[in-house]
Structure formats: C-alpha cells, structure tokens
Amino acid sequence: MRRLLTGVAIVASLVVATPGVAQAAWNAPANATGYAKAVSVPQGNTPSGSVNGRDVAVSWAVTRFPDNTPVAGYTIRRFDSSTGVPQTVLASCTGTIATLTCTEFGVDPGTWRYAVTPKHALWTGAESLQSTTVTVGSPSLTLSTTTLSALPTTSGGSIANFLDGETVIYRLDNATTGTILAGSITPSPVPVGGSATVSVTMPLGTALGAHTVYADGSLGSTANRAITVVDTTPPVVSAAVINKTFGDRPGFVKQGGTYFIYANASDTGSTASGISTVTANVNNVETGQTAVAMTTAGGPFTVGGVSYSYRSASLTASNPLVAGVKSFTVTATDVSGNTGGFTGSVTVDNTVPTATNIQTTNMVAGILGRAEIGDTITFTFSEAMDPNSILALWTGASTPVTLHLNQVAGSDTVTIFNSGNIAQLPLGSVALGGTNYTNANRTFTGSAMVMSGSTITITLGTQSGAARTQGGTTTMVWTPAIAATDLAGNACSATPFTETGAADVEF
C-alpha cells in the first residue's frame, strides 16, 4: 500500500491505560499515508535513602522498556513524611539525573520520603512509590562534663549533624551575643557526615548556676548543651579564739565573765559561692549557746595581734563554771550549703591573782640605797596578768612610764603613772619602809615598763630632782590594785604583800 505523507500534522497525547503506566502515541489524519505507535514509558522503581549526617544519598533501580532498553534519566522529589507536602530538592538532586543515585547535601532536619520519575526524551513515566521514611537529625552537642565544680574546666565531647565544611565557635548563654568561649573541633572544618570531636573551656569567673553552651556553625547550624556550675568546696574557718570583753590576751575566761568569740572564715575555690553564715557552739562555756551568730559588722577586730573578720555579740560565761580547758567550735556555711569548721579551746580560770613578790635592784656601779637611772623595781603576781588591764593597748613590750618616788611620813612610796604623768597605773603602791630615799616628791620620766610572764619590771628613767641615799635597811610592803586583772579577767587581790627575807637597802 502506498502512503502519502504530505501536510502531516503530528499530535502527541498521553493515554493512561492503567494506573502507573503511560503510553505515547502518534496519530496521522485520515488522508495521511502512514501511522506509528510507541510503547509505554514504565513507572519508576521505589527509591531508598541513606543518611550520613545532613546528607541523604538516594538510590533506585533502573527502569527499562519492554525491550530491556533503560530509560534515559530520572527526576527526584522529596516529601514531608508527615504531611506529604513536596519539598524543595537541593541542587545536586535537581533536574534530570542520568545515573541511579544522587546525594542531597545539607538537608534540613526532619523526616522525609523520596520518589523517582523516569524520563525518556520528551516523555515521562509514572512517579514511583515513595521510599520508606528517612530521618535527618538536628545538630547536636554533647559534653563529657556538664556539672562543673572547678574553673576553668575544659570539657570534651562531640557535635553531630552539622553541615559539611562548617567551622564552629562556642558561646555562653546566648547563641548570637553570648561570650565567646575558647574551644575547637577536630577535624576542622566539619567533615562529610557532619560529626567532629569538640573541646570547650568554661572560664574562671563564670557565675554559679545553670548555663547553656552553644556550638555555632559558620553555615548556620547551631546546637546547645545545658551545664551547671556548682560550689562543692566547703568554706574554711582558719582561726577562732575566745577573749574576755575587755582585754587583749585571748584564750581565757572566768565564770560569769563576759567574752567575745572571734573567727576568720573564707569561702575558697574557683567556684566559691561566698559565706552565708558563721556560728559558734560555746555550750561548754555558756550552757545552751549552740549556734551563736557571728558577723563582720564593726570589723575587722584585732585580738592578741591577730586580725579577725567575724565576732559574736558579748556573751556571759555560765556561773558557776568549773575551771579547766573547754572546747568550742565555729562553723561557716556558704551560700551553696557547704560547711567547714574549726575547733578551739578556752581556759576557764576562776582563781583571783595575788601579789607574790616585790624586789628592787641597783644598777651596775650604782649607789646602793639611792634611786637613780637604771635601777629597777619588779612586781611579781601569782599568775600572768592582762597587760591591757595595766595600761590600755599595752602588749607587755617595753613601754615608757613615769615612776613617782614620794616623800611620805613613815615610809617613802613608789607609784607608777603613764608616760604623760597623768594617770596612775593599777600597780598599787609600794611602801619602801624608810624615809630617806627622797627628801621631796620626785618623778623618774622616761622609765621603761616591760612584762615577762607574771612579772612587771620598771627600769628607772631620769630623776626630776636631787637624789638622796637611804642609809639603813628596810622592808617593802606592796599593796596591789584590784583594777589589774589576770588573763581571765579576775581582779587582783588588794591584800598587801610584805617583802620576804632579811631587811635590805632598796635600789
């Protein structure tokens, strides 16, 4: 049969015979001289997806025509697995793909399905069934140490699901404006697959409490991890003493006497929360006082040459209270609830001090019986006395005083005044037992007073008038003053003490 092919108009149409099958056909008009029909383009094969970090490799089996000829290419679509909404496919999987695989790099976190549509020349087959769900994880940060009790602390860890090629910095508490922290990733930049090991350092001075560390990728990935800075170090009470209310020799108290507790406490460590409270248990000294509050108000306080930051209010020892060594404790609690303590002791002394000796000495090459510069007079008590009760702020070291040698009927006397010759010191008076030690009231300015143990020695200074010499032997009588107290605050007995031994010439 002869076929004329003049004025042929070719119309292509897609006829769907069964679901998923497409046919292509060419039809000529009735007066055409020829006719041809093509076979259908098959439906695509269901693809599968493989996730590596934020990269998804999609692969599928070849689609073939009935004569085993493979189709020329394929197009890929990605769908939200929960809504079915098509997504924008990333560049490496767009257009017609001639191979049987492609990889989307940097897919957003989520759950996705893929479908493949075969293409051949101008004709398109039916889209495949959708793949099983693939899940792309969100960027994440893990740290080996999330509770920090010391600063600075460097924590290891890892990141995952970051974008390939990103560099990473770390910030504290805010992903965009937070303080940048020292840190690194290995390898850097982020390799294919989106994972790397990390190292990040929390600096000294980071506040206690909850914080968030952010890992910020240069291409927009961000992840965070919660951490907590805690104080687990107990505060330190380095020293504590008890001292009577008036005086400067700590470690002694008497029954019924008033006293203070002093202490030094500090909260140490790189995450210190600070001292919250300082309390003392002095139940052995004052019954019932198990949590005496101590404060820094009015401080610092110097006792016995040592400075203390905390002090209690004035307290009163029990009465009666058996003499002896009594223990006490001071406890410091920091803001985080950690506690540290100190155990000390105080001696309860209820014994009244007394005069036990009075002696004078003549200076080398001096004139016996004449009070002159360099001679001494020594007061001895039954126990150590509080130097502060003798002279305010005196520590017992050598200090200037004024010795008075007064002419008194029946017996010349010695008394001691302060360096300004204004106030008499509570050393009482000494009757020398003779009337020829002076012919008028004299002062010895610039005399030196020093304490050693239970003795106080005065070395005579410059005399204010002419000297006089006592010819005969005498016996001194010392009458102490009750204003002088021992280390526990017991007032000295005023009972006179008579010089023992044979009568001699004083000075």
Side-chain angles (χ1 to χ4, degrees):
M1 177 183 294
R2 183 180 178 190
R3 297 178 180 174
L4 297 176
L5 299 176
T6 59
V8 177
I10 300 174
V11 178
S13 62
L14 181 64
V15 179
V16 179
T18 60
V21 177
Q23 292 181 329
W26 299 262
N27 296 302
N31 60 354
T33 59
Y35 173 83
K37 182 177 182 181
V39 296
S40 301
V41 178
Q43 181 183 20
N45 292 307
T46 305
S48 62
S50 175
V51 179
N52 183 21
R54 296 275 293 280
D55 306 333
V56 181
V58 185
S59 59
W60 57 91
V62 63
T63 301
R64 297 179 183 274
F65 287 99
D67 65 355
N68 208 37
T69 300
V71 299
Y74 308 86
T75 58
I76 307 301
R77 287 208 296 169
R78 174 162 48 92
F79 301 87
D80 186 308
S81 65
S82 60
T83 65
V85 174
Q87 306 296 303
T88 300
V89 177
L90 301 180
S92 54
C93 285
T94 58
T96 300
I97 299 169
T99 61
L100 299 177
T101 184
C102 72
T103 299
E104 280 196 291
F105 295 98
V107 178
D108 288 340
T111 54
W112 315 110
R113 293 178 183 269
Y114 288 85
V116 175
T117 300
K119 295 190 69 175
H120 195 84
L122 299 176
W123 300 280
T124 302
E127 188 173 69
S128 71
L129 299 177
Q130 293 183 5
S131 69
T132 56
T133 298
V134 296
T135 300
V136 177
S138 298
S140 64
L141 168 66
T142 61
L143 294 174
S144 59
T145 305
T146 56
T147 299
L148 311 181
S149 58
L151 295 175
T153 291
T154 299
S155 297
S158 62
I159 55 171
N161 300 322
F162 274 61
L163 294 174
D164 304 345
E166 284 190 296
T167 57
V168 175
I169 63 171
Y170 303 93
R171 290 184 182 272
L172 182 63
D173 293 333
N174 188 290
T176 56
T177 63
T179 300
I180 295 178
L181 304 174
S184 62
I185 63 170
T186 303
S188 181
V190 176
V192 173
S195 296
T197 60
V198 307
S199 174
V200 60
T201 300
M202 290 295 291
L204 184 68
T206 303
L208 289 173
H211 295 276
T212 303
V213 175
Y214 290 89
D216 293 337
S218 57
L219 300 178
S221 299
T222 185
N224 63 76
R225 176 63 59 179
I227 65 166
T228 305
V229 179
V230 298
D231 176 13
T232 60
T233 303
V236 174
V237 182
S238 58
V241 294
I242 286 178
N243 189 40
K244 59 187 182 296
T245 305
F246 301 100
D248 193 39
R249 288 293 178 93
F252 298 86
V253 70
K254 67 175 182 177
Q255 61 184 4
T258 58
Y259 64 96
F260 292 113
I261 314 160
Y262 299 86
N264 280 327
S266 60
D267 196 25
T268 60
S270 56
T271 59
S273 56
I275 297 292
S276 174
T277 61
V278 177
T279 60
N281 182 340
V282 288
N283 186 60
N284 293 333
V285 179
E286 186 175 351
T287 303
Q289 295 285 17
T290 58
V292 177
M294 302 179 68
T295 74
T296 59
F301 313 94
T302 300
V303 179
V306 177
S307 179
Y308 295 91
S309 52
Y310 287 84
R311 189 180 75 174
S312 69
S314 178
L315 301 167
T316 302
S318 297
N319 191 5
L321 182 62
V322 177
V325 177
K326 311 293 182 181
S327 65
F328 68 92
T329 59
V330 174
T331 301
T333 304
D334 65 20
V335 174
S336 296
N338 303 300
T339 61
F342 180 93
T343 299
S345 63
V346 63
T347 298
V348 176
D349 175 10
N350 299 323
T351 302
V352 173
T354 60
T356 59
N357 202 0
I358 183 72
Q359 293 292 331
T360 62
T361 62
N362 185 35
M363 66 172 291
V364 176
I367 298 173
L368 188 63
R370 177 183 295 179
E372 54 191 329
I373 189 170
D375 288 350
T376 65
I377 182 169
T378 299
F379 304 84
T380 301
F381 296 87
S382 59
E383 58 181 299
M385 302 298 284
D386 185 347
N388 199 57
S389 70
I390 307 296
L391 177 63
L393 304 180
W394 185 38
T395 64
S398 180
T399 190
V401 293
T402 302
L403 183 143
H404 283 218
L405 177 57
N406 293 335
Q407 185 182 42
V408 178
S411 176
D412 295 338
T413 63
V414 170
T415 54
I416 310 299
F417 281 65
N418 62 10
S419 60
N421 197 28
I422 297 173
Q424 182 178 344
L425 304 186
L427 288 174
S429 63
V430 179
L432 297 176
T435 59
N436 292 315
Y437 289 101
T438 183
N439 58 3
N441 291 345
R442 305 296 187 196
T443 59
F444 292 77
T445 58
S447 299
M449 177 173 67
V450 65
M451 173 181 284
S452 178
S454 60
T455 65
I456 297 175
T457 299
I458 312 294
T459 300
L460 275 61
T462 303
Q463 186 176 204
S464 62
R468 186 172 182 179
T469 304
Q470 170 73 29
T473 62
T474 61
T475 298
M476 293 184 290
V477 178
W478 170 29
T479 302
I482 61 173
T485 66
D486 65 12
L487 301 180
N490 296 293
C492 185
S493 168
T495 301
F497 175 82
T498 301
E499 181 184 13
T500 60
D504 58 357
V505 178
E506 310 305 334
F507 300 112

